Amino acid sequence: MQYCQLRQAKQSLRTATPLCEIATDHGFYDQSHLNRHFKRVFGVTPGQYRESVLSKTVRLHEP
């Protein structure tokens, strides 16, 4: 079940929703709980993942 929660949280990281809200919305106790499990499964923190997604999106829209 937790892997499904992580996948859903990963999708939510593509939005502007605060990390603490994403964590609780997807069944994690708090942001650090999400961070710990996210990094163990995906190898990066949710913040690092969001940053990489946003930087790719910005680069795609640059002239």
Side-chain angles (χ1 to χ4, degrees):
M1 180 169 137
Q2 195 163 58
Y3 184 72
C4 290
Q5 291 171 296
L6 286 169
R7 284 187 26 218
Q8 291 170 351
K10 189 176 181 182
Q11 282 298 114
S12 295
L13 291 168
R14 296 174 176 270
T15 69
T17 307
L19 292 175
C20 58
E21 192 174 319
I22 290 172
T24 56
D25 286 351
H26 295 288
F28 294 92
Y29 181 72
D30 58 16
Q31 184 176 339
S32 66
H33 186 210
L34 170 62
N35 284 357
R36 202 168 40 254
H37 291 283
F38 196 94
K39 186 165 185 175
R40 182 178 44 110
V41 172
F42 299 115
V44 294
T45 67
Q48 291 168 329
Y49 175 78
R50 175 180 268 174
E51 201 172 286
S52 74
V53 168
L54 293 177
S55 68
K56 287 178 186 174
T57 303
V58 169
R59 274 188 254 137
L60 289 175
H61 291 59
E62 289 180 356

